[in-house]
Amino acid sequence: DAGVIQSPRHEVTEMGQEVTLRCKPISGHNSLFWYRQTMMRGLELLIYFNNNVPIDDSGMPEDRFSAKMPNASFSTLKIQPSEPRDSAVYFCASSRRDRRTGELFFGEGSRLTVL
Amino acid sequence: AQKVTQAQTEISVVEKEDVTLDCVYETRDTTYYLFWYKQPPSGELVFLIRRNSFDEQNEISGRYSWNFQKSTSSFNFTITASQVVDSAVYFCALSGGKTSYDKVIFGPGTSLSVIP
């Protein structure tokens, strides 16, 4: 079975540009999470969805960040406009909510560099 | 509020030594879950174990063992006879609460280096 698939794996962009990160969760998983990892702040939960509905977006840094999950097999995290401090590895993870907090399955991450 | 503390930022051991990674958590929930994840140098995050708050039995899986003590709010992880392949960053994580049991909060991680 395919794991969580994220794209792009690496993105280098200039400040002010729009960045879109994509995630395909594991089929059958109904919870999806976006995390950001930096040396300074570690692994931060940005937002998570249950059954395509955003449940908690309190970790989203500011209005420049937005996330959508139009269907059970796709989610996007958008940053507009991007800033150098957004440079990080962004992980998408999915799980089966009906297993009552099962383990998270992580994608390989998207490494974002904003110049 | 929920919080996970991993006081050891970096640990170095010589191969075949035993090593314990500490994890202390804070939560007001009576039902919660604790996790350990491994992040090797390649960067992916790998699930190791999940524990619920009602199960305080220690667990052993090969060279890995976990000690869960509610009285001290700790969930420590021991690697016996460490190997170079154990070199990674290890994260302890917590989730719980009636409305937020999906929300998994990670500790800052402990970077383990196993020296040949």
Side-chain angles (χ1 to χ4, degrees):
Chain A
D1 287 342
V4 175
I5 299 172
Q6 291 186 245
S7 64
R9 290 293 312 281
H10 302 274
E11 173 108 4
V12 180
T13 191
E14 292 189 345
M15 183 173 64
Q17 296 298 305
E18 178 179 294
V19 173
T20 299
L21 307 178
R22 298 172 178 80
C23 176
K24 176 179 170 55
I26 293 173
S27 178
H29 284 191
N30 48 11
S31 291
L32 183 139
F33 304 77
W34 283 100
Y35 285 86
R36 177 172 70 175
Q37 186 176 32
T38 61
M39 289 294 293
M40 292 296 294
R41 301 176 70 91
L43 267 166
E44 302 173 274
L45 177 62
L46 301 178
I47 185 171
Y48 74 93
F49 297 82
N50 283 335
N51 296 318
N52 313 337
V53 176
I55 302 300
D56 186 335
D57 65 354
S58 59
M60 295 286 261
E62 48 198 273
D63 291 346
R64 297 184 298 106
F65 286 69
S66 62
K68 293 182 179 179
M69 192 164 186
N71 57 61
S73 58
F74 184 66
S75 176
T76 59
L77 177 67
K78 187 174 292 187
I79 308 171
Q80 166 63 19
S82 58
E83 297 182 3
R85 60 189 167 131
D86 302 330
S87 298
V89 180
Y90 291 81
F91 286 100
C92 177
S94 69
S95 71
R96 282 186 57 182
R97 189 170 187 258
D98 57 4
R99 288 185 59 202
R100 193 81 189 175
T101 310
E103 61 267 29
L104 300 179
F105 292 81
F106 283 83
E108 293 181 307
S110 293
R111 182 176 293 277
L112 173 64
T113 302
V114 184
L115 303 175
Chain B
Q2 297 183 324
K3 185 179 179 181
V4 177
T5 301
Q6 296 178 257
Q8 305 149 308
T9 305
E10 295 181 2
I11 301 176
S12 287
V13 298
V14 177
E15 200 171 21
K16 298 184 183 178
E17 286 184 347
D18 298 346
V19 59
T20 295
L21 310 181
D22 297 333
C23 172
V24 173
Y25 62 92
E26 295 176 27
T27 181
R28 294 195 184 97
D29 299 316
T30 54
T31 302
Y32 52 89
Y33 296 82
L34 294 162
F35 306 80
W36 277 94
Y37 283 81
K38 174 182 179 180
Q39 187 175 39
S42 53
E44 74 273 24
L45 282 146
V46 179
F47 167 82
L48 295 178
I49 189 172
R50 177 189 66 180
R51 224 43 183 165
N52 74 52
S53 52
F54 297 110
D55 183 359
E56 286 194 72
Q57 282 190 343
N58 292 333
E59 181 153 342
I60 298 174
S61 176
R63 297 184 296 106
Y64 295 171
S65 62
W66 291 269
N67 184 310
F68 175 29
Q69 293 194 345
K70 285 180 77 170
S71 61
T72 56
S73 297
S74 65
F75 186 43
N76 296 338
F77 174 29
T78 297
I79 302 174
T80 303
S82 59
Q83 299 176 1
V84 172
V85 293
D86 296 327
S87 297
V89 180
Y90 291 86
F91 293 94
C92 182
L94 166 70
S95 72
K98 292 180 181 179
T99 58
S100 63
Y101 64 83
D102 295 310
K103 190 172 181 177
V104 182
I105 304 300
F106 284 80
T110 297
S111 178
L112 173 65
S113 296
V114 181
I115 304 165

